[in-house]
Amino acid sequence: MAEQLEFFPVQSPCRGICQSDERGFCRGCFRSRDERFNWQKMSDAEKQDVLRLCRQRLMRKLRANKPSPPEEPQQPSLF
């Protein structure tokens, strides 16, 4: 696959919510501790890979928190 040229540096995904969840990922940007601390040392390709991982972590969290649909319609009893 051909590598795409990058004209602008990859911006940090930090949202200013710097708290770790139970798995050690930031609740704001979904980066691991190492990914947050080493962001400035990473190449643009490494940063893009971290951003891809962050999107996957966000989607996994959204799927886990999504309520399951009720099995039966919630119709009130007529009796």
Side-chain angles (χ1 to χ4, degrees), residues 5-31:
L5 295 176
E6 294 290 334
F7 294 105
F8 302 103
V10 179
Q11 295 294 315
S12 170
C14 181
R15 296 178 180 203
I17 306 170
C18 300
Q19 298 174 353
S20 294
D21 65 9
E22 61 280 351
R23 297 191 67 198
F25 297 115
C26 177
R27 293 181 191 273
C29 64
F30 297 97
R31 289 183 291 172

Side-chain angles (χ1 to χ4, degrees), residues 30-66:
F30 297 97
R31 289 183 291 172
S32 69
R33 183 174 191 249
D34 288 339
E35 291 165 348
R36 292 189 316 265
F37 289 162
N38 295 316
W39 183 259
Q40 295 300 325
K41 299 174 191 172
M42 293 180 183
S43 67
D44 285 351
E46 290 172 321
K47 290 177 182 179
Q48 291 290 349
D49 191 44
V50 169
L51 292 176
R52 181 185 56 77
L53 291 171
C54 291
R55 283 189 294 274
Q56 289 177 351
R57 293 169 186 149
L58 171 62
M59 296 308 294
R60 189 179 309 125
K61 181 174 180 158
L62 292 175
R63 282 192 303 267
N65 291 339
K66 186 176 182 180

